[in-house]
Amino acid sequence: MNDQLLTLSKIFTERIFRIPDYQRGYAWTEKEVSDFWNDLMRLSESNNHYVGVLTLEPVIEETYRSWIDDLWLIDSKRYTPYYVVDGQQRLTTSILLIKSIINVMKKKNISQLNYTSLADISRRFISESKDENKSCTYLFGYEVENPSYMYLVKKIFDDNGTDLTSLQETTYTLNLMNAVAFFEKKLEPLSVEELESVYKKITQHLLFNTYEISSDIDVFVTFETMNNRGKPLSHLELLKNRLIYLSTQFSVSPDIKARLRRDINICWKDIYHILGQG
């Protein structure tokens, strides 16, 4: 493993991040989001704050070649695609806060923060466009198989041009929306100078211990081991991860493995949709 201590601005330099299908969705509730916010507010601009480990797995070319909407950014601008193996909740929360800052800037007609335009903030952390915003490549998001994928794009990133007729709501998607609502409520009363301070802290003063996992390490075992700390995985989340791992171990053709993995994801998505309705 290679490791570095990086700010969010450096982490989002020529990189694309995806939450893999074996990961759960956004599990932080208002308690964790509030703790995150309070840590940020207590942080002096003269200091940095260590927020934890971010473990990344480089996505192999065979996989990202199927990412039709992202290939132009990978090939033309040489962005590197990564799976987020550990640190998803903190990274997601950071992006939700930045998106909330963008939302408040629009509401209050603020054109820039810290000499950075609203459009540049969005391009840096949310999405890039190759055809004057007619289509977007999101720099952070879920794999298509994850039930939170469409919700994040449609409801959080405001992609009204995307046909997402099968949008599903779960406990995880509710957590996403609640986090944005929490942050917007905290941000709206702030002055421009205070917003600039929040933006500077979140992008330049939070430090992630960033690891790039090597190809000889079993990513499924790594995922289970790392998630023994923090907010525990549910039995259903652990079961899904185990089933996906087992699907890779059969001595069958790649297309059969792919179909089995797809079926596991579809079943898991349906179960969590039903649970989320409750």
Side-chain angles (χ1 to χ4, degrees):
M1 287 185 176
N2 298 321
D3 68 286
Q4 303 178 71
L5 215 54
L6 299 177
T7 65
L8 207 65
S9 289
K10 291 181 179 179
I11 289 170
F12 273 79
T13 299
E14 298 182 343
R15 286 171 169 162
I16 295 174
F17 301 98
R18 294 291 176 265
I19 309 299
D21 60 359
Y22 57 81
Q23 284 265 26
R24 62 178 169 186
Y26 185 59
W28 275 18
T29 62
E30 184 172 330
K31 178 187 181 303
E32 291 82 20
V33 173
S34 179
D35 289 344
F36 183 92
W37 172 262
N38 290 334
D39 286 343
L40 196 66
M41 291 303 98
R42 285 193 292 265
L43 177 63
S44 166
E45 287 191 24
S46 60
N47 294 324
N48 294 324
H49 178 62
Y50 175 72
V51 292
V53 174
L54 178 64
T55 305
L56 306 172
E57 177 196 11
V59 181
I60 62 173
E61 183 174 1
E62 180 183 354
T63 298
Y64 72 66
R65 279 292 154 195
S66 64
W67 298 0
I68 299 173
D69 294 330
D70 305 333
L71 269 180
W72 73 276
L73 201 56
I74 297 170
D75 288 342
S76 300
K77 293 195 174 186
R78 309 305 298 168
Y79 276 52
T80 303
Y82 288 95
Y83 283 134
V84 180
V85 179
D86 189 43
Q88 176 211 159
Q89 308 298 329
R90 291 180 181 84
L91 188 61
T92 304
T93 304
S94 300
I95 293 301
L96 293 177
L97 175 53
I98 291 175
K99 184 59 173 69
S100 300
I101 291 173
I102 291 171
N103 294 346
V104 170
M105 289 177 69
K106 291 178 179 178
K107 290 179 183 178
K108 303 177 76 168
N109 293 317
I110 300 171
S111 61
Q112 65 176 18
L113 294 177
N114 304 102
Y115 305 104
T116 307
S117 71
L118 189 153
D120 284 342
I121 293 173
S122 184
R123 276 193 294 268
R124 183 66 186 274
F125 297 103
I126 306 299
S127 66
E128 283 241 29
S129 175
K130 64 179 177 180
D131 48 12
E132 298 180 349
N133 297 321
K134 292 179 182 178
S135 64
C136 289
T137 291
Y138 293 98
L139 304 179
F140 172 85
Y142 298 92
E143 279 196 297
V144 175
E145 291 81 3
N146 193 304
S148 296
Y149 160 76
M150 290 188 289
Y151 194 92
L152 182 70
V153 171
K154 180 80 171 179
K155 293 290 189 179
I156 306 300
F157 292 155
D158 305 318
D159 189 346
N160 297 320
T162 305
D163 181 18
L164 300 173
T165 54
S166 58
L167 188 69
Q168 293 184 348
E169 294 186 357
T170 67
T171 302
Y172 296 142
T173 61
L174 179 62
N175 289 340
L176 289 170
M177 186 58 74
N178 286 344
V180 171
F182 175 90
F183 286 138
E184 288 188 14
K185 183 178 179 180
K186 295 291 186 180
L187 293 167
E188 285 178 357
L190 302 184
S191 66
V192 173
E193 291 76 16
E194 289 170 327
L195 281 173
E196 287 182 328
S197 177
V198 174
Y199 177 71
K200 185 177 180 181
K201 288 179 184 180
I202 190 65
T203 58
Q204 299 180 38
H205 290 280
L206 296 189
L207 296 179
F208 290 81
N209 200 356
T210 309
Y211 288 85
E212 186 174 316
I213 196 168
S214 59
S215 58
D216 60 338
I217 296 177
D218 191 319
V219 69
F220 295 102
V221 174
T222 301
F223 173 67
E224 286 187 0
T225 302
M226 288 178 169
N227 281 282
N228 283 332
R229 67 176 188 275
K231 188 167 185 176
L233 295 170
S234 70
H235 294 301
L236 186 58
E237 290 161 343
L238 287 169
L239 174 61
K240 181 199 175 195
N241 176 61
R242 176 58 59 183
L243 290 175
I244 289 179
Y245 166 71
L246 291 175
S247 74
T248 68
Q249 303 302 303
F250 293 116
S251 299
V252 294
S253 62
D255 61 319
I256 293 177
K257 288 184 180 180
R259 284 199 296 272
L260 179 56
R261 187 165 182 157
R262 178 201 62 194
D263 291 344
I264 292 169
N265 276 300
I266 290 173
C267 181
W268 186 85
K269 186 186 299 184
D270 290 342
I271 290 172
Y272 260 81
H273 177 58
I274 294 169
L275 292 175
Q277 289 179 320

